[in-house]
Amino acid sequence: MIEKSRGLDADEVFLDLEDAVAVTAKDDARASVAAALRAGGWSAAIVGVRVNDWSTEWTYRDVVDVVSANLDCVVLPKVETPDHVTALDLLLSQLERAHGLDVGRIGIEAQIESPRGLVNANAIAASSPRLESLVFGPADFMASVNMRGLVVGEQPPGYDGGDAFHHALMTILVAARAHDLQAIDGPYLQIRDVDGFRRQARRTAALGYDGKWVLHPDQIAAGNEIFAPSQEDFDHASDILAAYETSTSDVGGRRGAVMLGDEMIDEASRKMALVVVAKGRAAGMQRSS
Ligand code: GLV
Ligand code: MG
């Protein structure tokens, strides 16, 4: 799996030491991950490791062993309070110094996946300049609130009151945006059901999430497609920006509210369009001719 991950078309690859590793295999996994990181060679822009959470006996050792020049970020699971992030931040600072790396270069991605983590999401989001994203963990979240369902991310059977995850997803998104972090949706475990993955990914992409974990190479293309804007939306957003720039200029009559087709656009439209264009550019898109 580690070999295969080196060539995948994902924005980020992280190697797991937490829940995908059996308790009896933690030491071996840590050694394999540390060796793989030293070798490097990933095509993904960001390479990370998910360490075990602070309630275990493994976190400090995970972090000490995996920090190397090739590590871009640490995924910290089950973050419940800001001091979980602070503890990792301090440890990383020492390790960066010890390895002669720039202090602060390794980022932190915090998983919010428990009631306590969710009620503290805002304080967690403000806890360290190393933080890059808040990540929703649907599996642990479902377990920790006693949600009646065994299919991760799917609506619990018997609940017909809307989206059972809306509150958690929106709380994380708002906390992330309030502190300029990315909001990332967690895994979809039915790895053979790419349509199911697409359904889940579309929901969080529509809310404003920046991306979603993938557990299997088959989910990558779907994730990349869904979290980039459609060509139609990208073109429309580009047109809004162009039209608004013209209308607000001297030659355009310095008008802050104008019609573009059947739609009135103003400064808020420009801000919405900027988001779409930025996401499209990040995905390598260009205005179609
Ligand atoms: C991921 O860690 C999850 O719990 O969903
Ligand atoms: Mg989890």
Side-chain angles (χ1 to χ4, degrees), residues 18-19 50 77-78 111 113 136-141 152 186-187 189 213:
E18 202 224 14
D19 282 356
R50 179 166 73 166
K78 300 181 179 63
Q111 280 190 275
E113 43 186 355
F136 178 52
D140 274 299
F141 183 76
V152 172
L189 279 74
W213 280 11

Side-chain angles (χ1 to χ4, degrees), residues 136-158:
F136 178 52
D140 274 299
F141 183 76
M142 289 172 80
S144 62
V145 297
N146 295 0
M147 199 177 272
R148 188 184 280 176
L150 287 169
V151 184
V152 172
E154 294 290 359
Q155 300 302 313

